[in-house]
Amino acid sequence: MSTSAPAPGSRRVYAGQSAEERDAARRARLLAVIHDVVGTHGYSALAVERVCTAANVSTRNFYQLYDGKEAAFADLYDDLLLGLGEQVAESLVATDGQPLAQRIPAALLAFLKPTFDDLRTARIIFVEVVGLSARIETTRLRNREKLIELIEAESRAAVVRGEVVDRNWRFAALALIGAATATALDWMLQKHRPPIEQLERELGELAVTLLTLDPRDAS
């Protein structure tokens, strides 16, 4: 988003809204349209003029908020990831005190559920962002790293509690994230999808296997 200072007088109230409130409302409308366009037709279908028309935002106001469509899409992606992160945090609070075998599957499903509920979000998160640009890739990897760190921290705490045997938790976290996202993407792309409850159960079982199975049992 633009960091330039507001023009003189831009903070005055108009129609009961401050300049900041009007900008927030424009941003919300723009992101809703971008979510629909990219989630339905792909990033290549995104055009500033069409987005502005659909969102009832002038192009002048658009460029006061963003330097182009990539910046606007990056803002949407950040917004979606923030929402998913909040779902994970809420899940961890709700499962506080429970064993790792319950906490991590619940947190994983909390992250994925919004994508199952809205396939536009799934397309953005799993398809459209991959390899789109260096800017988007940096955001994607930064947020993946947050998930890895969360899984590592929860797993090490479980080791201290004597629930699991210590291992390379980064490897386990990468395996879980990679397998879960690939499975979710495959489910999304299938013409005849299996019941979502089945997918959620299988992903939960995968998380438990990767994080709690004693690696010495496989030797």
Side-chain angles (χ1 to χ4, degrees):
M1 295 178 68
S2 173
T3 57
S4 58
S10 65
R11 293 183 179 274
R12 66 177 182 271
V13 174
Y14 176 77
Q17 286 188 315
S18 67
E20 290 82 1
E21 289 171 332
R22 293 196 299 275
D23 279 344
R26 292 181 186 117
R27 174 180 177 267
R29 296 199 302 274
L30 287 167
L31 294 190
V33 171
I34 293 169
H35 181 268
D36 185 57
V37 171
V38 179
T40 304
H41 304 291
Y43 181 79
S44 61
L46 199 60
V48 171
E49 293 76 10
R50 292 180 181 176
V51 167
C52 288
T53 298
N56 193 27
V57 173
S58 70
T59 54
R60 178 178 68 83
N61 287 142
F62 176 92
Y63 285 109
Q64 286 176 341
L65 293 169
Y66 305 109
D67 59 22
K69 71 174 189 178
E70 183 184 332
F73 178 68
D75 189 24
L76 170 66
Y77 185 42
D78 276 333
D79 201 53
L80 291 174
L81 290 175
L82 177 62
L84 297 177
E86 289 173 349
Q87 294 295 315
V88 171
E90 290 176 7
S91 172
L92 290 174
V93 169
T95 59
D96 185 38
Q98 296 180 13
L100 182 72
Q102 292 173 275
R103 285 172 64 76
I104 290 300
L108 175 65
L109 294 179
F111 180 84
L112 292 173
K113 191 176 188 309
T115 69
F116 297 151
D117 291 342
D118 189 339
L119 293 183
R120 295 173 302 174
T121 299
R123 177 168 179 170
I124 291 168
I125 295 293
F126 299 131
V127 180
E128 296 299 326
V129 300
V130 179
L132 180 61
S133 70
R135 180 180 195 168
I136 300 297
E137 185 67 5
T138 296
T139 298
R140 186 180 75 84
L141 293 178
R142 183 177 68 245
N143 281 274
R144 188 187 71 171
E145 193 64 29
K146 290 179 182 178
L147 285 176
I148 292 171
E149 291 172 357
L150 183 151
I151 294 171
E152 287 180 313
E154 290 291 333
S155 300
R156 288 183 182 126
V159 172
V160 173
R161 294 193 301 267
E163 294 177 17
V164 293
V165 176
D166 199 14
R167 70 200 67 181
N168 184 340
W169 293 115
R170 182 175 181 84
F171 177 83
L174 282 166
L176 176 57
I177 293 169
T181 53
T183 301
L185 173 60
D186 180 71
W187 178 85
M188 184 195 78
L189 295 177
Q190 288 187 48
K191 186 174 182 180
H192 302 291
R193 301 184 189 95
I196 188 62
E197 294 79 11
Q198 175 184 330
L199 177 62
E200 291 177 344
R201 183 179 65 255
E202 291 171 345
L203 287 174
E205 292 170 352
L206 172 66
V208 171
T209 298
L210 286 173
L211 298 178
T212 68
L213 183 66
D214 190 333
R216 293 170 300 186
D217 291 341
S219 59

